[in-house]
């Protein structure tokens, strides 16, 4: 998986995606999701590093079947809030304090 972390005015933004979805566009009904290198590009990491990044995130965007499934398994995302966009999954995390 690929992780990109950046500090924003809203806190730590983490973008996570499966390695094979970068550069792809997924569509479903009126939704279109393009997984750009600019936003999602980052370091190839293992699942432990993904979990550590998500644990620190104030905001996260997660794309790809495995990445979203890991976020669900680790309790970061409720499965009921996951979007199926074409052939992939997308979820967002917003931590409110």
């Amino acid at each position: 998986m690929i992780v990109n972390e950046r500090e924003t005015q809203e806190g730590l933004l983490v973008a996570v995606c499966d390695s094979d979805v970068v550069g792809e566009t997924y569509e479903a009904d009126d939704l279109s999701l393009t997984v750009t290198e600019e936003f999602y590009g980052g370091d190839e990491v293992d699942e432990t590093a993904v979990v550590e990044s998500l644990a620190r995130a104030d905001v996260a965007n997660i794309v790809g079947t495995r990445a979203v499934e890991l976020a669900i398994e680790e309790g970061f995302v409720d499965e009921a809030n996951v979007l199926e966009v074409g052939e992939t999954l997308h979820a967002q995390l917003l931590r409110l304090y």
Side-chain angles (χ1 to χ4, degrees):
M1 281 176 263
I2 298 173
V3 171
N4 183 325
E5 293 185 359
R6 61 180 72 84
E7 283 294 334
T8 70
Q9 290 180 336
E10 291 76 32
L12 181 64
L13 169 62
V14 175
V16 178
C17 69
D18 291 355
S19 302
D20 62 345
V21 302
V22 175
E24 299 292 330
T25 297
Y26 299 93
E27 296 182 346
D29 300 322
D30 60 346
L31 292 176
S32 180
L33 172 66
T34 300
V35 187
T36 64
E37 175 74 29
E38 179 179 273
F39 188 81
Y40 287 95
D43 298 321
E44 182 87 28
V45 298
D46 63 15
E47 291 185 358
T48 300
V50 170
V51 171
E52 290 171 355
S53 286
L54 290 174
R56 292 190 307 272
D58 295 299
V59 178
N61 286 282
I62 310 158
V63 179
T65 303
R66 183 63 201 127
V68 172
E69 287 175 351
L70 179 63
I72 293 167
E73 290 166 13
E74 295 295 327
F76 295 109
V77 173
D78 186 331
E79 189 171 5
N81 296 320
V82 172
L83 293 176
E84 192 171 323
V85 184
E87 299 171 2
T88 198
L89 300 177
H90 179 261
Q92 293 182 312
L93 164 71
L94 175 61
R95 197 166 272 124
L96 301 174
Y97 298 98

